[in-house]
Amino acid sequence: MEIQFFSTDKTKIEEVLQRIKSKAKISKKGKKYYYNFACGFDTETSSFYQNLKTGKTSLSLDKINKNEIKDYVKRGIVYEWTFGIYSNGETLIIIGRKLEEYQELYNMITNIFDTNAINLLIYVHNLAFDFQFIRGYHTFDKVFAIEERKVLKAITTDGVEYRCSYQLSGYSLSVVAKNLTKHKIEKLVGDLDYSKIRHSTTPLTQEELNYCIHDVLIILYYIDETITNDGDITKIPLTKTGYVRNYCRKACYKVVGDKKASKDKTRKYYALMQKLTLTTDEYDLLKTSFMGGFTHANAMNCGKVYNNVRSFDETSAYPTVMVAEKFPMSKGIQINHITRQEFEEKVRNYCCVFDVELNDVESLIYYENYISSSKCRSLENQLENNGRIVSAKHLIISITNIDWEIIKRTYTFSSFRIGRFYYYQKGYLPTDFVKSILKLYSDKTTLKDVEGKEVEYLSSKGMINSAYGCCVTDIVRDEIIYDIEGWHKEKNTTENIDKIIAKYNKSRNRFLFYAWGVFVTAYARANLWSGIFELKEDYIYSDTDSLKFINYDKHKHFFELYNNRLIYKLQKALDYHKIPYEAYKPKTIKGVEKILGVWDDEGIYDKFKTLGAKRYMYLKNDKLTLTISGVNKKTATPWLLKHFANDDIKQVDKVFNAFENELEFPKDATGKQTHTYLDFEYEGYVKDYTGKIGYYHEFAGIHLESTTYSLSISQQFLDYLKGIKYIKI
């Protein structure tokens, strides 16, 4: 490995780049050519507050005199950057301290590699962050973002394409490093103290430099292994979901090694897709009907500490319903002014989506509520249980027939009226699509811990988890635009939406139907709720595919019956597809069957407490685990133990007692950082932690600051909890 500092030997760097170019492999995609080797880039930054009058700095406003706060502004500066290339076994690492130096290197690279003729891909782990700092140094031909500032790809006018390796892998750098199979490297932790202010002339120790180098080496090795696994760099998708999308599309349209069979298969599958088309209104209804996983807590059991809590998880819940259930397999038929008799017949025998208006809604059960207030388009005089409807004078919501069956079991209402209504013939998903899902599940199971199959296992594991994501990719998105004026969103007009839907319908590349994704989550919610209905007051907490509850012996029979019923449904589906039963129950390397979709006993929690959705804590085998959305459990859990129990697990009751409303985690315990985007040019002088003063200049930047977290419960939910302590609904 060759390491060069850009400021000291540019001639040597140029020689190495020329040598790499002379040996470089080139790949072609369409009419474009690409260098087929790994490039990576990363920055290190400092964030601080600075007094514009005096130049004084502080890491936090907490340490600033209140009378002076108005004179302080946020600053984020780059004090180090690392660029790397890995090609034909040769590694070049280039280190610089100012982005102006990187711009020089960038110009050198574009000239040497003639990137206007042959494109160069540079991977950045969390491109959204680094893009904010480097964007002022480039002119971009196109920036592709799925949300404002969430950059997936940025192509410069010089033919350089920045891509996000985080969105591709779906993992942090430390996990990416652990998953590497050919290259062995670890992410260094703790060698760079981010609480110290640094600038471009702050001395860096060898340990600090190694931290920077390792971050880029992990990117290089990951992309190198990905190039090897995928065939070449042009075959690497933008995101992790792209892998499963490509895999399943190929399974549906192609026959390996047989062009004639592939042509016939393509024709048949495309003909199916032409039957599964949408109107703009139908798409709008499907989109508003879509709901994700159900995550909530039994309000009756919130805030209480329970012993011997059982945890059950469904195995691959979404892939399971994609195999076992029936989905919309025809063009949607709309019924205007549907009669009661027609409605009941259709929701019983077809897949349906519709608008429903309910009046005088009252919950029938006290241990949980199904309807989400955020999904209601009209809502009057409602009583809510942490975002779920307990009662309402009036509401309008878009749902599937699966949701309707649950609503009927959980609410009473004086009247209902149906608005827009579409129904579809029911059928199993296409056989080749189902086969691809089962193959991914089988590989994930059979390849785990098998020596020499690490790559295949990691690939199948990531892909089976992403299979559902392909089905719910939104067809129509507002366009996120980045230009010289910055970021802005351009909403689609009705005319544009019509064009997008028409293009979707005609696409010869499409292998999915948007309606499928809507029903995947609906079926999964119904499976989860079958458990909630069984457990009743013993139910404590649920999250998409898991249940936490007490009195297991009382409910053991339900889980056995559920699993037997699921196996029957899987066998019935596989009989239809003419797929052997072994496909739904692959064996591990130790010969243990892993049946798709069954409820697995994840063990007993010695103690468990929840304060609501995504807020719970449990003790299992003398290990405390905390889950709070947005809080890093790796830093928050040790703080709780130290602060309330003196690091003594025997005093863990004190921690559970402290886990209450308004519990506040300090900055160093949350792992949370507030991002402030500085969309303007700024410069100045700053004193680093050694006392050395340095100049900084940024075209744009990001200020990062650790932030506290208050475990606050809304007053509305608190009032509800107080009420149900005395009255069951």
Coordinates of all heavy atoms in Angstrom, one line a residue, residues 74-117:
K74 N -22.8 29.1 13.9 CA -22.3 27.7 13.8 C -21.3 27.6 12.6 O -21.5 28.2 11.6 CB -23.5 26.8 13.5 CG -24.5 26.6 14.7 CD -25.7 25.8 14.3 CE -26.6 25.6 15.5 NZ -27.8 24.8 15.2
R75 N -20.3 26.8 12.8 CA -19.4 26.5 11.8 C -19.0 25.0 11.7 O -19.0 24.3 12.7 CB -18.1 27.3 12.0 CG -18.2 28.8 11.9 CD -18.4 29.2 10.4 NE -18.6 30.6 10.2 CZ -19.7 31.2 10.0 NH1 -20.8 30.5 9.9 NH2 -19.7 32.5 9.7
G76 N -18.8 24.5 10.5 CA -18.4 23.2 10.2 C -17.3 23.2 9.2 O -17.5 23.8 8.1
I77 N -16.1 22.7 9.5 CA -15.0 22.8 8.5 C -14.3 21.5 8.3 O -14.3 20.6 9.2 CB -13.9 23.8 9.1 CG1 -13.3 23.3 10.4 CG2 -14.6 25.2 9.2 CD1 -12.1 24.2 10.9
V78 N -13.7 21.3 7.1 CA -12.9 20.1 6.8 C -11.5 20.3 7.2 O -10.9 21.4 6.8 CB -13.0 19.8 5.3 CG1 -12.1 18.7 4.9 CG2 -14.5 19.4 4.9
Y79 N -10.9 19.4 8.0 CA -9.5 19.5 8.3 C -8.7 18.4 7.8 O -7.4 18.4 7.9 CB -9.4 19.6 9.8 CG -9.7 18.4 10.6 CD1 -8.9 17.3 10.7 CD2 -11.0 18.3 11.2 CE1 -9.2 16.1 11.4 CE2 -11.3 17.1 11.9 CZ -10.4 16.1 12.0 OH -10.8 14.9 12.7
E80 N -9.3 17.4 7.1 CA -8.6 16.3 6.5 C -9.4 15.6 5.5 O -10.7 15.5 5.7 CB -8.1 15.3 7.6 CG -7.1 14.3 7.1 CD -7.8 13.0 6.4 OE1 -9.0 12.9 6.5 OE2 -7.1 12.2 5.8
W81 N -8.8 15.2 4.4 CA -9.6 14.3 3.4 C -8.7 13.2 3.0 O -7.4 13.3 3.0 CB -10.1 15.1 2.2 CG -9.0 15.9 1.5 CD1 -8.7 17.2 1.6 CD2 -8.1 15.4 0.4 NE1 -7.6 17.5 0.7 CE2 -7.3 16.4 0.0 CE3 -8.0 14.1 -0.1 CZ2 -6.3 16.2 -1.0 CZ3 -7.0 13.9 -1.1 CH2 -6.2 15.0 -1.5
T82 N -9.3 12.1 2.6 CA -8.5 11.0 2.1 C -9.2 10.5 0.9 O -10.4 10.3 0.8 CB -8.5 9.8 3.2 OG1 -8.1 10.3 4.5 CG2 -7.6 8.7 2.8
F83 N -8.3 10.2 -0.1 CA -8.8 9.6 -1.4 C -8.0 8.4 -1.6 O -6.8 8.3 -1.3 CB -8.5 10.6 -2.6 CG -8.9 10.0 -3.9 CD1 -10.2 10.1 -4.4 CD2 -7.9 9.4 -4.7 CE1 -10.5 9.6 -5.6 CE2 -8.2 8.9 -6.0 CZ -9.5 9.0 -6.4
G84 N -8.7 7.3 -2.1 CA -8.0 6.1 -2.4 C -8.4 5.4 -3.7 O -9.5 5.6 -4.2
I85 N -7.5 4.6 -4.2 CA -7.7 3.8 -5.4 C -7.2 2.4 -5.1 O -6.1 2.2 -4.5 CB -7.0 4.3 -6.7 CG1 -7.6 5.7 -7.1 CG2 -7.1 3.3 -7.8 CD1 -6.8 6.3 -8.3
Y86 N -8.0 1.4 -5.4 CA -7.5 0.0 -5.4 C -7.7 -0.7 -6.7 O -8.9 -0.8 -7.2 CB -8.3 -0.8 -4.3 CG -7.8 -2.2 -4.1 CD1 -6.7 -2.5 -3.3 CD2 -8.4 -3.3 -4.8 CE1 -6.3 -3.8 -3.2 CE2 -8.0 -4.6 -4.7 CZ -6.9 -4.9 -3.8 OH -6.4 -6.1 -3.7
S87 N -6.6 -1.0 -7.4 CA -6.7 -1.5 -8.8 C -5.6 -2.6 -9.0 O -4.4 -2.3 -8.7 CB -6.5 -0.4 -9.8 OG -6.6 -0.9 -11.1
N88 N -6.0 -3.7 -9.4 CA -5.1 -4.8 -9.7 C -4.2 -5.1 -8.6 O -3.0 -5.4 -8.7 CB -4.3 -4.5 -11.0 CG -5.1 -4.4 -12.2 OD1 -5.9 -5.2 -12.5 ND2 -4.9 -3.3 -13.0
G89 N -4.7 -5.1 -7.4 CA -4.0 -5.4 -6.2 C -3.1 -4.3 -5.6 O -2.5 -4.4 -4.6
E90 N -3.1 -3.2 -6.3 CA -2.3 -2.0 -5.9 C -3.2 -1.0 -5.2 O -4.3 -0.7 -5.7 CB -1.7 -1.4 -7.1 CG -0.8 -0.2 -6.8 CD 0.0 0.4 -8.0 OE1 -0.3 -0.1 -9.1 OE2 0.8 1.3 -7.8
T91 N -2.8 -0.5 -4.0 CA -3.5 0.5 -3.3 C -2.8 1.8 -3.2 O -1.6 1.8 -2.8 CB -3.8 0.0 -1.8 OG1 -4.4 -1.3 -1.9 CG2 -4.7 0.9 -1.1
L92 N -3.4 2.8 -3.6 CA -2.9 4.2 -3.4 C -3.8 5.0 -2.5 O -5.0 5.1 -2.8 CB -2.8 4.9 -4.8 CG -2.4 6.4 -4.8 CD1 -1.0 6.6 -4.2 CD2 -2.5 7.0 -6.2
I93 N -3.2 5.5 -1.5 CA -3.9 6.4 -0.5 C -3.3 7.8 -0.6 O -2.1 7.9 -0.4 CB -3.9 5.9 0.9 CG1 -4.6 4.5 1.0 CG2 -4.5 6.9 1.9 CD1 -6.1 4.6 0.8
I94 N -4.1 8.8 -0.8 CA -3.7 10.2 -0.9 C -4.4 11.0 0.2 O -5.6 10.9 0.4 CB -3.9 10.8 -2.2 CG1 -3.3 10.0 -3.3 CG2 -3.4 12.3 -2.3 CD1 -3.8 10.3 -4.7
I95 N -3.6 11.7 1.0 CA -4.1 12.4 2.2 C -3.9 13.9 1.9 O -2.8 14.3 1.5 CB -3.5 12.0 3.5 CG1 -3.8 10.5 3.8 CG2 -3.9 12.9 4.6 CD1 -3.0 9.9 4.9
G96 N -4.9 14.7 2.2 CA -4.8 16.2 2.1 C -5.4 16.8 3.3 O -6.2 16.2 4.1
R97 N -5.2 18.1 3.5 CA -5.8 18.8 4.6 C -6.8 19.9 4.2 O -7.6 20.3 5.1 CB -4.6 19.5 5.4 CG -3.6 18.5 5.9 CD -4.1 17.4 6.8 NE -4.8 17.9 7.9 CZ -4.3 18.3 9.1 NH1 -2.9 18.1 9.2 NH2 -5.0 18.7 10.1
K98 N -6.8 20.4 3.0 CA -7.7 21.4 2.5 C -8.5 20.9 1.3 O -7.9 20.2 0.5 CB -7.0 22.7 2.2 CG -6.2 23.3 3.3 CD -5.5 24.6 2.8 CE -4.7 25.2 4.0 NZ -4.0 26.4 3.5
L99 N -9.7 21.3 1.2 CA -10.5 20.9 0.0 C -9.9 21.5 -1.3 O -10.1 21.0 -2.4 CB -12.0 21.2 0.2 CG -12.7 20.3 1.1 CD1 -14.2 20.7 1.2 CD2 -12.6 18.8 0.7
E100 N -9.2 22.6 -1.1 CA -8.6 23.2 -2.3 C -7.5 22.3 -2.9 O -7.3 22.2 -4.1 CB -7.9 24.6 -1.9 CG -8.9 25.7 -1.7 CD -9.4 25.7 -0.3 OE1 -9.1 24.8 0.5 OE2 -10.2 26.7 0.0
E101 N -6.9 21.5 -2.0 CA -5.9 20.5 -2.4 C -6.6 19.4 -3.1 O -6.1 18.9 -4.1 CB -5.1 20.0 -1.2 CG -4.2 21.0 -0.5 CD -3.6 20.4 0.7 OE1 -4.2 19.5 1.3 OE2 -2.5 20.8 1.0
Y102 N -7.8 19.0 -2.6 CA -8.5 17.9 -3.2 C -9.0 18.3 -4.6 O -9.0 17.5 -5.5 CB -9.7 17.5 -2.4 CG -10.6 16.5 -3.1 CD1 -10.1 15.2 -3.4 CD2 -11.9 16.8 -3.5 CE1 -10.9 14.3 -4.1 CE2 -12.7 15.9 -4.2 CZ -12.1 14.6 -4.5 OH -12.9 13.7 -5.2
Q103 N -9.3 19.6 -4.8 CA -9.7 20.1 -6.1 C -8.5 20.0 -7.1 O -8.7 19.6 -8.2 CB -10.2 21.6 -6.0 CG -10.6 22.1 -7.3 CD -11.9 21.4 -7.9 OE1 -12.6 20.8 -7.1 NE2 -12.1 21.5 -9.2
E104 N -7.3 20.2 -6.6 CA -6.1 20.0 -7.4 C -6.0 18.6 -7.8 O -5.7 18.2 -9.0 CB -4.9 20.5 -6.7 CG -4.7 22.0 -6.6 CD -3.3 22.3 -6.0 OE1 -2.3 21.9 -6.6 OE2 -3.3 22.9 -4.9
L105 N -6.1 17.7 -6.8 CA -6.0 16.2 -7.1 C -7.1 15.8 -8.1 O -6.9 15.1 -9.1 CB -6.2 15.4 -5.8 CG -6.3 13.9 -6.0 CD1 -5.0 13.4 -6.6 CD2 -6.6 13.2 -4.7
Y106 N -8.3 16.3 -7.9 CA -9.5 16.0 -8.8 C -9.1 16.4 -10.2 O -9.4 15.7 -11.2 CB -10.7 16.8 -8.3 CG -11.9 16.7 -9.2 CD1 -12.8 15.6 -9.0 CD2 -12.2 17.6 -10.1 CE1 -13.9 15.5 -9.8 CE2 -13.3 17.6 -10.9 CZ -14.2 16.5 -10.8 OH -15.3 16.4 -11.6
N107 N -8.6 17.6 -10.4 CA -8.2 18.1 -11.7 C -7.1 17.2 -12.3 O -7.2 16.9 -13.5 CB -7.7 19.5 -11.7 CG -8.9 20.5 -11.4 OD1 -10.0 20.2 -11.6 ND2 -8.5 21.7 -10.8
M108 N -6.2 16.8 -11.5 CA -5.1 15.9 -12.0 C -5.7 14.5 -12.4 O -5.4 14.0 -13.5 CB -4.1 15.6 -10.8 CG -2.9 14.8 -11.2 SD -1.9 14.3 -9.8 CE -1.3 16.0 -9.3
I109 N -6.6 14.0 -11.6 CA -7.3 12.7 -12.0 C -8.1 12.8 -13.2 O -8.0 11.9 -14.1 CB -8.1 12.3 -10.8 CG1 -7.3 11.8 -9.6 CG2 -9.1 11.1 -11.2 CD1 -8.0 11.6 -8.3
T110 N -8.9 13.9 -13.4 CA -9.8 14.0 -14.6 C -8.9 14.1 -15.8 O -9.3 13.6 -16.9 CB -10.7 15.2 -14.4 OG1 -10.0 16.4 -14.2 CG2 -11.7 14.9 -13.4
N111 N -7.7 14.8 -15.7 CA -6.9 14.9 -16.9 C -6.2 13.6 -17.2 O -6.1 13.2 -18.4 CB -5.8 16.0 -16.6 CG -6.4 17.4 -16.7 OD1 -7.4 17.7 -17.4 ND2 -5.9 18.3 -15.9
I112 N -5.6 13.0 -16.2 CA -4.8 11.7 -16.4 C -5.7 10.6 -17.0 O -5.4 9.9 -17.9 CB -4.1 11.3 -15.2 CG1 -3.0 12.3 -14.8 CG2 -3.6 9.8 -15.3 CD1 -2.3 12.0 -13.5
F113 N -6.9 10.5 -16.3 CA -7.8 9.4 -16.7 C -8.8 9.8 -17.8 O -9.6 8.9 -18.2 CB -8.6 8.9 -15.5 CG -7.7 8.2 -14.5 CD1 -7.1 8.8 -13.5 CD2 -7.6 6.8 -14.6 CE1 -6.3 8.1 -12.6 CE2 -6.8 6.1 -13.7 CZ -6.1 6.7 -12.7
D114 N -8.7 11.0 -18.3 CA -9.6 11.5 -19.4 C -11.1 11.1 -19.1 O -11.7 10.3 -19.8 CB -9.1 10.9 -20.7 CG -9.9 11.5 -21.9 OD1 -10.5 12.6 -21.7 OD2 -9.8 10.9 -23.0
T115 N -11.6 11.5 -18.0 CA -12.9 11.1 -17.5 C -14.0 11.5 -18.3 O -15.2 11.0 -18.2 CB -13.1 11.6 -16.0 OG1 -12.9 13.0 -16.0 CG2 -12.1 10.9 -15.1
N116 N -13.8 12.5 -19.2 CA -14.9 12.8 -20.1 C -15.2 11.7 -21.2 O -16.2 11.6 -21.7 CB -14.6 14.1 -20.9 CG -15.0 15.4 -20.0 OD1 -16.1 15.4 -19.4 ND2 -14.1 16.3 -19.9
A117 N -14.1 10.9 -21.4 CA -14.3 9.8 -22.3 C -14.6 8.5 -21.6 O -15.4 7.7 -22.1 CB -13.0 9.6 -23.1

